[in-house]
Amino acid sequence: MTSTTFAESDKIKVLERIGNTPIIELKSYSTDKVKIFAKLEWYNPFGSVKDRAAYWMIKDAEEKKILKKDKSIIIEPTSGNTGIALTGIASYLGYKVEIVIPEKVSEETKNILRKLGATLHETSDDLCPRVGAGTDQSIALAYAISKPRPEIYYMPNQYENESNYLSHYQSTGPEIWEQTQGKVTHFFTGCGTGGTNTGTGTYLKEKNKNVKVIAIQAQKNHLLQGLRNFEESAKPDLFIRREKIVDEWYTATNQKSFEMVKSLAKREDILVGPSSGSVMASMLDYIDNYDEGVFVGIFADDGRKFQSLYLEQNLFSEEEYRKYLTSCKFLPPLSY
Ligand SMILES: Cc1ncc(COP(=O)(O)O)c(C=O)c1O
């Protein structure tokens, strides 16, 4: 067997594992009539909801013959998870990846990216003009690097790329519908590009127009990696195209999100990332107004990338964090 055939079979195995993530009931928060479910997106092979968008965007560029094996460089502005997904997937498919990333993203995330083989360009106010907060600077820098060299660089641009939306319309939405046997009444997700929200929300509303879609943004000046505040930084084009899908908005605070990370570890034995804490906080606030319903939230990534943040914020002591790493359920082996 040649190394090429080995890589081919390996590639199929890993890429086949994108999607079909488990959904679990959070029983300590559910009641007889109010059922709360979390869709555990960290079961994707590269650890987050963004595997879906990354895979769909790469497949689309391959179909359009934009990407050339062993020649093209994929460059993308991202707060981490899209970068991890793109780099992981691209490493199986023969493309190099450069990631433009805000420097405040956790060191663990940056280390994973480096380990997977990405070249990182970190943005700071010194490095490039401030056209907006956080990831907006990254977008400007990624354009500046890629635009003059279109024969080498390909920027999927998750903030505009329709394949990001389609990945959720074609996978996350149908999965939730089937996993709840069509009983879902409310869908909650944090918003970065809006791909998860609009893709999943559109599919679920097509199945049942009464499903409510709740979009979660972060507070200003936040620590909730993956989310945005839409006053602080512009709403992406991808989101603007279908933002009417959103029935209600919720703004997650750092404090409430972190409290929920802690509460989920204690009550449900799951170690989640900050944005899952935001989703949980918004679900619990909404549920106060309902006597019944099936509430489904996207838990975008787990807590294994956030040790430094969680210790810094005094969420857990080092000992507690280590204990949760071994005692928590639903932490599959990592692919990196
Ligand atoms: C942890 C986390 N939560 C939520 C999201 C939001 O996903 P989307 O870009 O589909 O809005 C992201 C996106 O990067 C993320 O990394």
Side-chain angles (χ1 to χ4, degrees), residues 49-50 79 81-82 168 190-196 225-227 275 300-301:
V49 68
K50 299 306 292 201
S79 62
N81 282 333
T82 305
H168 298 287
C191 297
T193 63
T196 312
Q225 195 168 307
L227 304 191
S275 81
D301 59 7

Side-chain angles (χ1 to χ4, degrees), residues 50-187:
K50 299 306 292 201
D51 280 21
R52 300 173 189 265
Y55 189 40
W56 256 252
M57 292 191 296
I58 290 180
K59 274 195 306 186
D60 174 60
E62 285 190 324
E63 276 158 26
K64 291 179 177 150
K65 311 233 179 298
I66 297 168
L67 288 171
K68 292 165 207 78
K69 299 251 180 229
D70 303 318
K71 185 172 177 220
S72 298
I73 301 173
I74 297 171
I75 186 163
E76 185 72 355
T78 152
S79 62
N81 282 333
T82 305
I84 293 172
L86 283 171
T87 313
I89 295 166
S91 70
Y92 283 90
L93 297 175
Y95 309 113
K96 288 203 181 93
V97 177
E98 292 182 21
I99 297 299
V100 189
I101 193 163
E103 62 186 359
K104 67 178 175 186
V105 166
S106 79
E107 267 316 306
E108 291 98 315
T109 302
K110 289 182 211 160
N111 285 338
I112 294 167
L113 282 163
R114 290 187 194 106
K115 204 163 145 190
L116 285 168
T119 303
L120 301 193
H121 304 281
E122 292 190 39
T123 53
S124 72
D125 291 344
D126 296 329
L127 193 70
C128 68
R130 191 180 173 88
V131 294
T135 45
D136 281 353
Q137 292 175 68
S138 314
I139 296 171
L141 184 58
Y143 269 128
I145 296 170
S146 60
K147 268 208 168 150
R149 278 159 288 177
E151 69 295 349
I152 294 177
Y153 281 103
Y154 170 62
M155 176 166 151
N157 196 356
Q158 57 174 336
Y159 301 98
E160 286 181 11
N161 193 321
E162 197 64 3
S163 296
N164 174 0
Y165 158 82
L166 276 177
S167 69
H168 298 287
Y169 180 79
Q170 292 173 349
S171 71
T172 322
E175 286 169 32
I176 291 175
W177 186 253
E178 274 167 35
Q179 286 168 319
T180 62
Q181 288 101 38
K183 292 188 180 126
V184 53
T185 58
H186 294 74
F187 171 65

